[in-house]
Amino acid sequence: MQSEQQRQPVEPYIPPAVVLPELTVRAVVVGTLLGMIFGASSLYLVLKVGLTVSASIPVAVISITLFRLANKLGIRDASILENNIVQTAGSAGESIAFGVGVTMPAIMILGFSLELTRVMLVAVLGGLLGILLMMPLRRALIVAQHGVLKYPEGTACAEVLKAGASEESRAAHEGRQFDRESSSGPAPSASDKNDHGEGARTIFAGFALGLFYKAAMSAGRLWKDTPEKVFGAPLEAGSVAAEISPELLGVGYIIGPRIASVMCAGGVLAYLVLIPLIKFFGAAIPGALAPGTIPIAEMGPGQIRQAYVLYIGAGAVTAGGLVSLLRSLPTIWQGLREGLSDVRGMRSSGDPRHSGFMTLRTERDLSPKFVGIGVVLLLVVISLAPKLHMNLLGAVMIALFGFLFVTVSSRLTGEIGSSSNPISGMTVATLLFTCLIFLALGWTGPSYYVTALSVGAIVCIAASNGGTTSQDLKTGHLLGATPRLQQISILIGALASALLLGPILLKLNETATVYVPVSQLTKNALAAPPSLELEETASLVGPQAADDTRSYLVWHKSDSNLAPAGKYLVDPDTLRAAYLVDPGINGAFDTRPDGTKVKKFDAPKATLMSYIIQGILDRKLPWGLVLLGALIAVVLELSHIPSLAFAVGVYLPISSSTPILIGGLVRWLVDRRARQRETESLLARTPDGALRLGRARSEAELSAESDRSQGVLMASGYIAGGAIAGIVIAFVAGLFDRLDASLASWASAHNPLYNGPHADLLSLVPFIAITVLLYLAGVRGDAASKRT
């Protein structure tokens, strides 16, 4: 059966002999801009909750809508192949953002400076390497395995593009002549137009709602952003909270009720079991219990979490990542073996379509010489770039692990989809092997932390982008696109997004960075060791820079004597530390000396990477707490519960997982309603009262329809709008600090939704409103699909 499916070539929507506009300037520009927007929102999301969602379908719908609006103004409508170029260029940003957000913040968590050139180098090199390494696999995985490897996201995106095809594209598909002057020929059906117009309106409405809601809540202070309830005895220090943001609600809807509920269960364990338990037993201890620095009796929920539960959560995340990798090893091995076998088979194939003399437009790839030279040049840059602290062994490991995991990722996305692709597990494996080799060679100094992390980051981004490239090429294969033009467009889109993500990452970190005076940390003078030669200099940035414009020496303190390990600013005259630079990503201090609060990014996956490096090369961790977290993951796996999602919930604040759970519950209600309607339609009766039985759709068909429904489009709009608003607010923070302080002061005194005895309850009203709108969008979209 499998061989028969492989022998039957696909009949593309646009025949190979037909040439339509494809790699146009406008398609590349629109796709690149949309990729940068969704890449930025994905980076914001991965820093908050450690995951992203696919951008291909939203980008495709937006593309069709923009070009259709332009057509009404007298500009030629885009062909289906142009829209495919837009979604191809636009999809790269999300996958690169995931790799950057999962790995690069670990440098700051380890106490090093995260420089712009380092982030941009890793993003560009990893993104381009993943695309180039995947290109030789296209014919083996996309063409030869058609009908075997489904590539669910790529197939769904192709269906969306077909539904919104222009009249010119429909004429080409049907073999009709198309007169561009008079646009002769049958028009698209009303249902197709209405369906796609409705989808576009839904995305834009969700984007506008998410943008306005986030701006009104976070910048305008119209209502409290995180309602919270802290319990007293007998559940002392237990608490529940919800960050009522549209982007987290949208994430919950897209990932669905299963994963959303498991994540929230981890938060319940942390905030309603572990924290009260530590408080109950630790309250009687008179002094501080390491790694805490003050008695537990004096700690609030946040302090207990920071001192103890974060290490438990990190241990659970680490173990969950390793278990995910171990569970995937058989699939990874099979994917690698079959992928390499397919490549060898294609090389020896006598099929003229795949020979070096093939002329079909749909079989034209970029030259193998271009790919080979590109890979070699990227590896040379990786080896020579001083910011990466790379050596020859590190470059060799990137080449080996990159080829291995890009091959595996490209095949696994075809089998189980991008959302289930264990990229985090592959990154964990890369870091583990790298650190163990470094340890065996005695390379345990701080500079090797950066080398190991650079290896893991480039491999992670390459594997992530390799899987995304496979989905895009599958979409193009079904539509009849030219592979070479798709490959050029995704290289352009990846390069643009990679260059943008570095500045955004550093700015998000900067706006939430707190410079903690050393006098708040210790009563003793903290001096840098005289044996150290401090050469790096830095000044304060952000709101605190207005009060101190001096230039300081930078000291990366690796021990916890007298004060926490981390990055310090040292007075160049006295060589005494003046400030601890607490990063905005995974920092421990959320209050500046003037009393203003900041929102930290938890970055759970990046923390996992930093713990692996520290645990192996430094071996300075509270291993008792870390092992407790690892055993929690083991218990969950024995109970057949996905431990990684649960572990991320333990590590994240419960305020992040609660709105994700609510979004998942809304998705469950919408899907339940859809299945009820499916049953009703199967049992419909004719006008004379006879029972008319329809064909029951499979669970896979229902799931695929749900994944491209109006509810998913609305949720995607929520995510993009809320995340973009959050990024803009972070970027302008400090420019309007006086206005912001005035708004906060007025809201605290006069706005009952922001401050007061009922603020926690009243602030839920706007969130309930956008939740109801999300449900109505999902139900309305399901009803429309039944009518058509």
Side-chain angles (χ1 to χ4, degrees):
M1 180 65 181
Q2 177 171 324
S3 60
E4 291 177 2
Q5 288 176 312
Q6 288 177 259
R7 282 197 297 267
Q8 295 176 356
V10 66
E11 293 294 333
Y13 187 82
I14 302 298
V18 176
V19 177
L20 291 178
E22 191 167 357
L23 188 70
T24 60
V25 172
R26 65 175 185 171
V28 174
V29 170
V30 171
T32 300
L33 291 176
L34 290 176
M36 294 165 75
I37 292 172
F38 278 92
S41 63
S42 296
L43 178 62
Y44 183 85
L45 205 59
V46 78
L47 293 178
K48 288 182 72 70
V49 293
L51 49 83
T52 60
V53 293
S54 176
S56 294
I57 291 178
V59 168
V61 173
I62 293 173
S63 170
I64 293 169
T65 305
L66 291 178
F67 287 127
R68 192 159 289 172
L69 290 173
N71 189 39
K72 292 182 179 180
L73 300 176
I75 302 173
R76 178 183 61 82
D77 196 2
S79 72
I80 191 172
L81 300 186
E82 280 184 286
N83 284 319
N84 180 53
I85 289 293
V86 173
Q87 76 84 21
T88 299
S91 63
E94 177 265 326
S95 58
I96 296 177
F98 175 80
V100 170
V102 161
T103 56
M104 295 313 294
I107 290 181
M108 289 180 288
I109 298 171
L110 291 169
F112 295 93
S113 299
L114 184 57
E115 299 168 341
L116 178 60
T117 51
R118 180 181 294 158
V119 181
M120 294 175 69
L121 271 173
V122 168
V124 170
L125 295 172
L128 298 183
L129 185 65
I131 296 170
L132 291 176
L133 289 175
M134 191 275 148
M135 287 180 188
L137 303 174
R138 186 193 70 85
R139 293 177 190 162
L141 300 182
I142 308 297
V143 179
Q145 294 289 318
H146 177 69
V148 178
L149 298 179
K150 303 298 183 182
Y151 290 99
E153 288 91 349
T155 301
C157 192
E159 294 302 317
V160 169
L161 290 171
K162 289 178 186 177
S166 64
E167 172 55 19
E168 181 182 15
S169 303
R170 291 173 182 271
H173 170 65
E174 297 167 5
R176 295 185 282 106
Q177 291 293 325
F178 176 75
D179 187 350
R180 190 171 293 168
E181 296 290 333
S182 60
S183 297
S184 59
S189 67
S191 63
D192 284 337
K193 283 186 174 181
N194 291 338
D195 284 349
H196 233 79
E198 183 70 19
R201 285 192 294 270
T202 300
I203 286 184
F204 286 121
F207 181 87
L209 278 171
L211 189 72
F212 172 79
Y213 180 103
K214 185 79 172 184
M217 178 181 70
S218 299
R221 311 297 176 92
L222 295 187
W223 59 86
K224 191 175 183 179
D225 60 356
T226 310
E228 182 181 22
K229 172 65 176 176
V230 180
F231 301 110
L235 200 63
E236 189 174 358
S239 64
V240 292
E243 183 181 343
I244 49 177
S245 62
E247 65 269 23
L248 296 183
L249 178 68
V251 167
Y253 189 95
I254 290 178
I255 67 175
R258 170 66 173 165
I259 298 300
S261 61
V262 171
M263 282 185 65
C264 193
V268 170
L269 176 69
Y271 279 77
L272 295 177
V273 178
L274 295 178
I275 291 177
L277 199 64
I278 293 171
K279 185 74 171 182
F280 179 81
F281 288 108
I285 300 176
L289 177 65
T293 56
I294 62 174
I296 293 176
E298 301 176 12
M299 289 183 175
Q303 292 169 307
I304 295 175
R305 173 179 177 266
Q306 192 71 37
Y308 306 104
V309 176
L310 283 185
Y311 292 105
I312 297 174
V317 171
T318 303
L322 291 175
V323 169
S324 173
L325 175 68
L326 292 174
R327 290 166 65 100
S328 302
L329 279 180
T331 308
I332 289 174
W333 170 247
Q334 180 184 1
L336 177 64
R337 185 181 60 188
E338 294 184 2
L340 295 176
S341 175
D342 292 335
V343 171
R344 288 194 298 268
M346 294 302 298
R347 287 175 178 172
S348 61
S349 173
D351 189 342
R353 294 186 312 137
H354 309 306
S355 69
F357 304 99
M358 60 84 179
T359 56
L360 289 180
R361 177 184 57 81
T362 52
E363 294 298 331
R364 295 173 187 165
D365 291 279
L366 282 173
S367 165
K369 290 183 179 179
F370 174 87
V371 174
I373 293 173
V375 170
V376 171
L377 287 177
L378 289 176
L379 291 175
V380 169
V381 174
I382 290 171
S383 303
L384 299 180
K387 294 294 183 182
L388 300 182
H389 293 269
M390 193 58 61
N391 52 35
L392 179 61
L393 178 60
V396 170
M397 295 179 73
I398 287 175
L400 294 177
F401 285 122
F403 174 74
L404 167 66
F405 288 131
V406 167
T407 302
V408 170
S409 177
S410 298
R411 186 174 182 89
L412 286 185
T413 51
E415 295 180 351
I416 58 180
S418 297
S419 58
S420 301
N421 196 5
I423 300 295
S424 297
M426 299 179 196
T427 310
V428 167
T430 302
L431 276 179
L432 277 175
F433 283 117
T434 303
C435 290
L436 289 172
I437 291 173
F438 284 9
L439 182 65
L441 295 174
W443 296 352
T444 58
S447 63
Y448 293 108
Y449 294 4
V450 180
T451 304
L453 191 58
S454 297
V455 172
I458 293 174
V459 171
C460 176
I461 296 170
S464 179
N465 222 19
T468 298
T469 303
S470 301
Q471 296 284 9
D472 292 333
L473 292 177
K474 179 65 174 183
T475 302
H477 185 60
L478 295 173
L479 296 178
T482 306
R484 180 175 62 85
L485 302 183
Q486 271 194 283
Q487 291 158 356
I488 292 173
S489 69
I490 198 170
L491 285 170
I492 296 172
L495 179 61
S497 295
L499 293 174
L500 176 70
L501 293 175
I504 291 178
L505 176 64
L506 267 66
K507 189 64 178 180
L508 290 176
N509 176 69
E510 175 188 310
T511 56
T513 294
V514 175
Y515 294 89
V516 185
V518 172
S519 58
Q520 293 184 13
L521 304 174
T522 176
K523 298 178 181 179
N524 302 314
L526 184 63
S531 58
L532 290 180
E533 295 182 3
L534 303 180
E535 299 178 354
E536 183 183 352
T537 60
S539 301
L540 278 68
V541 294
Q544 289 180 250
D547 300 323
D548 189 342
T549 59
R550 295 184 61 193
S551 179
Y552 291 91
L553 296 172
V554 176
W555 172 29
H556 298 291
K557 186 172 180 289
S558 58
D559 58 68
S560 301
N561 296 330
L562 298 180
K567 178 181 175 182
Y568 285 81
L569 299 185
V570 176
D571 188 314
D573 298 325
T574 64
L575 292 183
R576 290 185 176 182
Y579 296 100
L580 165 66
V581 183
D582 189 64
I585 299 175
N586 200 255
F589 296 86
D590 63 356
T591 305
R592 293 194 172 105
D594 63 359
T596 57
K597 293 277 189 179
V598 298
K599 282 278 187 181
K600 298 286 188 177
F601 294 93
D602 289 281
K605 297 290 181 64
T607 305
L608 163 63
M609 307 308 165
S610 70
Y611 273 66
I612 291 173
I613 294 173
Q614 266 189 325
I616 296 177
L617 298 183
D618 191 10
R619 290 165 285 184
K620 292 182 180 178
L621 286 175
W623 283 106
L625 296 174
V626 172
L627 290 175
L628 284 175
L631 290 174
I632 289 175
V634 171
V635 170
L636 292 168
E637 289 295 336
L638 292 174
S639 304
H640 299 284
I641 297 172
S643 61
L644 185 56
F646 187 95
V648 169
V650 173
Y651 184 85
L652 286 175
I654 195 173
S655 58
S656 297
S657 53
T658 302
I660 291 176
L661 173 65
I662 295 172
L665 291 176
V666 174
R667 176 70 174 269
W668 177 77
L669 290 172
V670 170
D671 288 351
R672 183 170 177 266
R673 180 80 174 268
R675 280 158 177 75
Q676 289 175 345
R677 284 179 171 163
E678 177 78 6
T679 303
E680 292 170 1
S681 66
L682 291 176
L683 301 177
R685 294 182 180 273
T686 61
D688 59 0
L691 188 64
R692 180 175 57 199
L693 295 177
R695 184 187 74 85
R697 289 184 294 178
S698 67
E699 187 63 29
E701 291 175 314
L702 292 172
S703 178
E705 182 176 311
S706 177
D707 285 341
R708 56 179 183 266
S709 66
Q710 299 292 322
V712 169
L713 296 179
M714 175 69 91
S716 299
Y718 277 2
I719 291 170
I724 294 300
I727 291 172
V728 172
I729 292 169
F731 267 56
V732 301
L735 298 179
F736 305 101
D737 51 342
R738 292 184 179 179
L739 176 61
D740 184 64
S742 298
L743 285 172
S745 176
W746 180 89
S748 298
H750 303 288
N751 187 355
L753 277 73
Y754 183 78
N755 189 34
H758 305 295
D760 289 306
L761 187 62
L762 292 175
S763 61
L764 293 175
V765 174
F767 184 71
I768 292 173
I770 63 171
T771 303
V772 171
L773 288 175
L774 179 60
Y775 172 77
L776 292 176
V779 171
R780 184 178 67 250
D782 172 65
S785 68
K786 297 302 179 194
R787 288 195 299 272
T788 58

